[in-house]
Amino acid sequence: MDLDEVAGRLYTVPPAEFTAARAAEASAAKAAGDVRLSRDIAKLRKPTVSAWVVNRLAREHPGELADLLGVGERLRAAWQAQDADALAELTQRRGEVTAKVARLARQAGGLSAAAATEVDQTLDAAVVDAGAADQVRAGRLARPLSYSGFAPAPAPVTAPRSEPSRRRGPSGKDAAAEEKARAEAEAREAREASKAREREEAEAAHREWAETLESVTREYDERAEKVARLERKLAKARKRLEEVRQRLQVTRREERHARQRLG
């Protein structure tokens, strides 16, 4: 048993059951003598609902997810090559495949609007970023993903390929200003997204430790009550033992006196 194997099992478990399942896996590893693995298992983070839904897509619908990630790979290549025709075709295909995968994600029901948005953002991140695609494909997300950088988009295909660039001449300043404004807006969004993720991670960590605290407190109370019951039984047993000891002393004394009278 190794960490990858255990993580593969744990991230199939619904978030509500994750903490207990993780504790059981850590205990099993410790009982098997692998203390390091037990500690590593205990460090695995509980997934959010949206992350778990994406993980479930990777397990239950690998073909559809592979289609989406494949479109993303080709879209990134077309963007790199500035192939307007390919970008136009792939952008349309991206919308179709994304909609299909998003429907699959919502089939199980019970997904809040916020969680559904996080699922969509994670899928978008996987399309435009190769690293995010690898994480989604692995099916072991603990948190939803987002991408705030410059992503492949249909904008480059709005002008015909034969049309000369509008970034020259008098319009160059306007284009540069727009580019600067866009970069600043993306930087602000990246900072805000980073702060939001940090806040979300802190809240998730607190919730997880609060759940663990509740579980450990309950276990402590149960064991303390059991010890108290045993101590009460032990006190009664000691009292009965003392009574029998006193009877034994009296009996021994009387037996000795009776033996003396015989002599």
Side-chain angles (χ1 to χ4, degrees):
M1 179 171 63
D2 58 22
L3 186 61
D4 286 341
E5 179 184 348
V6 175
R9 287 197 298 268
L10 284 177
Y11 285 109
T12 66
V13 175
E17 303 172 14
F18 183 88
T19 300
R22 181 184 58 190
E25 292 281 7
S27 296
K30 187 174 182 180
D34 198 334
V35 178
R36 174 180 292 183
L37 177 59
S38 178
R39 287 198 297 263
D40 289 341
I41 292 172
K43 293 177 183 178
L44 292 174
R45 304 183 66 179
K46 176 181 176 181
T48 63
V49 171
S50 57
W52 175 71
V53 167
V54 176
N55 292 340
R56 192 178 63 191
L57 284 173
R59 294 190 308 274
E60 299 179 1
H61 304 284
E64 290 81 356
L65 186 60
D67 287 344
L68 177 62
L69 299 182
V71 169
E73 185 176 353
R74 295 194 299 275
L75 187 62
R76 293 192 299 273
W79 177 260
Q80 186 70 25
Q82 289 295 286
D83 186 338
D85 291 340
L87 282 170
E89 177 184 351
L90 289 168
T91 298
Q92 180 179 356
R93 178 61 179 161
R94 172 189 179 180
E96 295 170 354
V97 179
T98 298
K100 180 179 181 180
V101 175
R103 284 195 299 272
L104 292 173
R106 290 161 171 76
Q107 279 182 353
L111 197 62
S112 68
T117 298
E118 290 176 345
V119 170
D120 294 341
Q121 290 173 345
T122 300
L123 295 176
D124 286 340
V127 168
V128 300
D129 181 77
D134 290 340
Q135 293 182 61
V136 167
R137 189 180 291 109
R140 297 177 188 174
L141 292 177
R143 298 289 178 271
L145 303 177
S146 62
Y147 185 81
S148 57
F150 188 56
V157 302
T158 55
R161 297 180 67 182
S162 61
E163 183 177 335
S165 173
R166 296 186 180 276
R167 291 183 178 274
R168 299 177 181 176
S171 63
K173 293 182 179 180
D174 292 340
E178 291 177 0
E179 179 69 15
K180 181 180 179 181
R182 182 190 61 75
E184 291 175 348
E186 288 182 352
R188 284 195 301 272
E189 291 176 0
R191 289 193 296 271
E192 292 172 359
S194 178
K195 290 180 180 179
R197 284 194 298 271
E198 291 175 359
R199 175 67 179 179
E200 181 183 355
E201 290 176 356
E203 291 176 348
H206 176 262
R207 286 195 301 271
E208 186 170 347
W209 280 112
E211 290 174 2
T212 303
L213 175 61
E214 181 180 357
S215 176
V216 173
T217 299
R218 183 166 55 251
E219 181 180 0
Y220 174 83
D221 291 341
E222 291 173 354
R223 292 184 180 275
E225 176 59 28
K226 184 176 181 179
V227 169
R229 290 195 302 269
L230 292 173
E231 287 178 342
R232 288 193 294 269
K233 290 182 179 179
L234 179 60
K236 292 180 180 179
R238 283 176 173 168
K239 183 178 179 181
R240 289 195 296 269
L241 178 62
E242 178 61 22
E243 292 172 352
V244 173
R245 188 186 66 81
Q246 292 176 2
R247 287 171 54 197
L248 178 60
Q249 289 178 342
V250 171
T251 302
R252 283 175 174 171
R253 185 176 63 248
E254 294 301 326
E255 186 274 337
R256 187 170 57 252
H257 290 165
R259 189 170 63 250
Q260 289 173 353
R261 287 197 298 272
L262 288 174

